[in-house]
Amino acid sequence: MKKREQLTEEEEIARTRLPEKGEILALVTEMLGEGRMRLECEDGKTRMGRIIGRLRKRVWIRVGDLVLVKPWVVEGDKKCDIIHKYTPTQARWLKNKGYIKNLEI
């Protein structure tokens, strides 16, 4: 797939990454700088998240985006790593299928 190639809605939905064990859906609420942001997680906790290295230069994350996070082993209630960003089409599909219950998208 080329960088500027557009996917159809069906292709985007087919590529949607579902949360696995230990991963949580979250909504970006505030940018903190240096690749860090405040997240409202689906389990009701507010965490500080950092963008992992392989996503840092490739994906632009903004306030209001739906992301997939993995809480840290130590301080897991306060900190996490952002491992995936969902497109608006994928976020709507996740909400319609019932994967998102406690977040307002």
Side-chain angles (χ1 to χ4, degrees):
M1 183 173 83
K2 294 182 181 179
K3 189 173 184 179
R4 297 192 187 259
E5 186 178 320
Q6 295 292 323
L7 297 175
T8 64
E9 190 170 328
E10 292 82 22
E11 289 173 332
E12 248 184 82
I13 290 171
R15 293 174 180 242
T16 302
R17 186 172 190 273
L18 299 176
E20 296 173 1
K21 185 178 177 185
E23 297 175 347
I24 303 170
L25 293 169
L27 196 62
V28 179
T29 57
E30 181 184 358
M31 302 299 285
L32 302 174
E34 297 294 323
R36 288 175 166 57
M37 49 205 65
R38 187 145 342 269
L39 305 165
E40 182 182 329
C41 297
E42 192 168 23
D43 60 0
K45 298 178 183 174
T46 301
R47 293 182 170 92
M48 183 184 73
R50 67 175 185 176
I51 303 171
I52 60 172
R54 67 185 169 91
L55 292 181
R56 190 173 290 260
K57 300 287 184 186
R58 295 186 178 135
V59 176
W60 294 100
I61 298 176
R62 297 180 191 97
V63 173
D65 285 344
L66 181 69
V67 293
L68 186 63
V69 300
K70 184 166 181 98
W72 289 6
V73 176
V74 178
E75 295 186 53
D77 292 341
K78 298 178 183 177
K79 297 182 180 179
C80 62
D81 289 329
I82 298 171
I83 57 176
H84 184 74
K85 175 193 167 192
Y86 292 102
T87 64
T89 304
Q90 292 171 335
R92 263 193 318 277
W93 183 81
L94 286 168
K95 181 135 181 111
N96 291 340
K97 292 297 180 181
Y99 288 99
I100 304 170
K101 298 175 186 85
N102 302 329
L103 297 176
E104 292 297 322
I105 296 179

